[in-house]
Each structure stands twice: as structure tokens, then as C-alpha cells.
Amino acid sequence: MEMGLIGKKVLLSGGTSGIGLATAEAFLAEGANVMLVGRSAQKGRDALEKLSRYGKRVEFYPADVRKKEDCHRAVVHTDAVFQGLDILVASAGIYEEGAFSDIEEARLRDLFDTNVFGTLFLVQEAIPFLKRRKGNIVCVGSDAGVHGNYFAAAYCATKGAVTLFTRALALELAPKGVRVNAVAPGDIATPMVEAQLAASQLPRRDALREMASVYPIGRIGKAEEVASLITYLASEKASFITGAVYGIDGGLTA
């Protein structure tokens, strides 16, 4: 435990699977307390089972980040349970690909409600609590928020919003002692990527090889690798870093 995170209070949206779950485990391993937030109570129970060795330092609170009132309740609950809030990780997100002209309005709105407003609402509710403890925020963006991805215009728009939101908010909160950063992962081995592979017309092995072929490093990433970057950015070791969007994409955006 070298990150200075012992006893820190973390609220983590999208924490029941993928990058979020790996990040929760990374914080817990460093001695932090973690409140997982997600829509599915069953996924919450499953996540707590996987993290059961950390005992009462990890809890789950059911909330839909698309709803501002849910975000408010999640933040207040975290503060009440852990007696403070030091770190917010906004990790909840969904993916959409396909021709932009074919995306139905309902799906488009859900994409923005989850990826953009879900991040904005949760951050907005957390700011007063983070100011009290000079805390920090880490948003989970995407390489798709840095450059254009083929057949993913709507998703790129949402993650591009997260990128510039992070940079602008960092300037706003720096005088208050609150840091704001983001990570921008490429393809990471998570349930979201597994769904993409399953939707391919190719056998999974070939689809994975094709996905990995665009990465200079020769493979897609691991959730634990992204989690390590998030915990670093949230730690005192990164105390001079704010307004940064860190690519973690095997050289894709180099």
C-alpha cells in the first residue's frame, strides 16, 4: 500500500463490472473504502460477492446515474456511510456503434443520458463534498473521445463531451483544491468488448485478432491496467496533475 489511499472514501459509478469493478478492487487493495453505484441490484450483489474479502470497506448503492435525484442520493449516502467523500470515479457508460443515420432517437438519448448526463449529474452532486476534503475526480472517457472512430459517431460525441468537460472543470475547481482528470482507454477486455466480439460475423478468435491488429502494442488492454492508472491519478502521487486526459490505448492515438 504505497499510494496514500488508506482510509480514502471513494464513490465509483459503473462499479459492478469491467473497468469499474477492477478499479474498485484496486482501490480496496490500497486500503480505501469504496461505494459501488449501479442500476442492477443483482450485479451489485455479484460484485460484493467477488469483493467480499474486503468486508465492510465496500458497499453497493443502487442508483441510475441518468437521474439527478439518484445521483444526489448516492453521494449523500456515501458521505453518511463513510463519513466523507474524497474521490469520485465516473465510470458508468454504454456503447453504441453503427451508421449514425440508423440510430433510433430513444437509443441516442439513452447514450447521452448515460455517458454525458450520468457523468455531469454525479459530478455536480459530488462537488460540494469533494471541496470539503480537497478531493478529486477521475472520469472514464475513451480513445473515441479523442479521435473519430468508424461507425461510432454518436458514441464519439458522448466521450468527446467527457474529454472537454474534464479539462474545463479542472480549471474551474483548481482554485478550490479539487483535481479533475480523465482516462481514455482503447479496447479493453470487458463485458462491453465481449458484446462487440459476439456481434461480429467472424469467430471470436478472429474478431479479437482483428480488433487487436490496430494497436501498435499488438493486443487490447486489461481492465486492471486501466484501474492502475485511475488509482494513480486519484492518489497524492498525482497531486500536480489536473485537467489531463490520459490515453491508455496501446499506442493507438500516438
Side-chain angles (χ1 to χ4, degrees):
M1 296 183 182
E2 302 174 351
M3 303 293 287
L5 293 168
I6 296 174
K8 295 294 185 181
K9 287 84 170 171
V10 183
L11 192 163
L12 203 162
S13 70
T16 59
S17 67
I19 290 171
L21 182 58
T23 301
E25 183 153 21
F27 273 115
L28 290 163
E30 291 291 337
N33 303 284
V34 178
M35 183 67 68
L36 305 175
V37 172
R39 281 186 269 181
S40 169
Q42 183 58 57
K43 287 184 178 179
R45 288 190 291 270
D46 292 344
L48 290 179
E49 178 64 27
K50 291 176 182 177
L51 301 172
S52 60
R53 64 185 175 279
Y54 297 106
K56 294 294 185 180
R57 287 198 290 116
V58 57
E59 295 201 12
F60 171 75
Y61 186 80
D64 185 344
V65 295
R66 298 173 299 180
K67 301 175 181 178
K68 196 170 189 296
E69 59 271 25
D70 276 24
C71 292
H72 174 75
R73 286 194 288 265
V75 170
V76 170
H77 178 76
T78 303
D79 180 67
V81 170
F82 293 150
Q83 298 299 299
L85 177 61
D86 298 295
I87 298 161
L88 170 65
V89 179
S91 177
I94 59 175
Y95 181 71
E96 180 74 40
E97 67 180 15
F100 181 72
S101 57
D102 293 339
I103 300 176
E104 296 180 356
E105 180 182 351
R107 185 60 179 166
L108 191 59
R109 289 188 181 278
D110 191 35
L111 192 64
F112 274 81
D113 283 344
T114 304
N115 295 0
V116 180
F117 286 102
T119 297
L120 268 59
F121 288 154
L122 195 57
V123 169
Q124 191 174 52
E125 293 297 331
I127 284 172
F129 296 86
L130 294 170
K131 283 180 179 178
R132 296 172 192 167
R133 300 172 68 91
K134 308 294 184 184
N136 70 85
I137 300 164
V138 182
C139 297
V140 177
S142 170
D143 72 284
V146 179
H147 64 173
N149 280 4
Y150 184 69
F151 259 38
Y155 180 73
C156 286
T158 65
K159 291 302 186 177
V162 171
T163 295
L164 284 184
F165 170 69
T166 296
R167 288 174 171 155
L169 188 65
L171 297 176
E172 181 179 327
L173 295 182
K176 307 297 183 183
V178 176
R179 296 185 298 108
V180 188
N181 293 292
V183 296
D187 289 307
I188 305 296
T190 63
M192 184 183 290
V193 164
E194 282 299 326
Q196 290 177 252
L197 295 173
S200 173
Q201 296 180 346
L202 298 172
R204 184 189 179 283
R205 179 181 298 178
D206 294 338
L208 179 58
R209 184 181 298 115
E210 183 178 89
M211 180 182 285
S213 68
V214 302
Y215 291 92
I217 209 166
R219 63 173 176 84
I220 67 171
K222 303 173 185 177
E224 293 78 13
E225 292 170 321
V226 183
S228 293
L229 178 57
I230 292 172
T231 52
Y232 168 72
L233 289 173
S235 76
E236 286 302 310
K237 290 184 177 292
S239 60
F240 196 55
I241 300 174
T242 195
V245 179
Y246 274 75
I248 179 164
D249 58 19
L252 182 66
T253 54

